[in-house]
Amino acid sequence: GNDVLKKVANILLHTIRTKDAVCRMGGDEFIVLCAGVRSEQEAQKVAERIIKAIRAGAESSPYWIGISVGGTYVKQDETLENAIERADKALYHIKKTTKNGYSLYKDETV
């Protein structure tokens, strides 16, 4: 388990941009904070890039590694905890439906 988590963390660190940040939330969940993502299309590209990198890294692993990505925008003047709650809702939506994909929490007040 720890070897897989280390592999995923390493892939994430090499996939994100230098102005982004990644940290392990707990268990098998990671948070990636992406600066300057302004549209759903940009968010989609980030999610697809991460999924593609994890899948490519999984090919060289003796373990099966899947990935589900949930995302949201951080609203101006909101706490990070609130944004994480929304991203978590999007994550569990994709885990319950298709797995190995991504879901963006859409909120009209973003």
Side-chain angles (χ1 to χ4, degrees):
N2 283 339
D3 289 341
V4 173
L5 292 173
K6 288 177 185 177
K7 184 174 188 75
V8 169
N10 191 39
I11 292 168
L12 289 173
L13 287 170
H14 287 90
T15 302
I16 63 171
R17 303 166 301 176
T18 56
K19 63 182 176 179
D20 298 335
V22 64
C23 64
R24 183 172 166 217
M25 187 69 176
D28 63 351
E29 293 185 1
F30 292 83
I31 293 178
V32 178
L33 296 172
C34 300
V37 175
R38 303 267 183 244
S39 70
E40 188 173 335
Q41 292 77 20
E42 286 181 73
Q44 179 180 349
K45 286 180 184 177
V46 169
E48 289 173 349
R49 187 173 68 239
I50 290 170
I51 291 168
K52 183 178 178 181
I54 295 293
R55 286 182 180 157
E59 291 175 2
S60 65
S61 174
Y63 309 104
W64 182 84
I65 301 173
I67 182 167
S68 297
V69 176
T72 192
Y73 296 96
V74 179
K75 300 175 188 178
Q76 187 173 355
D77 299 325
E78 88 169 316
T79 64
L80 190 54
E81 288 80 13
N82 286 343
I84 291 170
E85 283 181 31
R86 288 195 314 279
D88 210 37
K89 287 179 185 178
L91 172 64
Y92 281 94
H93 170 75
I94 200 69
K95 282 185 170 186
K96 287 179 185 176
T97 56
T98 62
K99 294 189 178 184
N100 291 310
Y102 66 91
S103 175
L104 181 63
Y105 186 93
K106 297 176 188 175
D107 185 327
E108 304 308 318
T109 61
V110 172

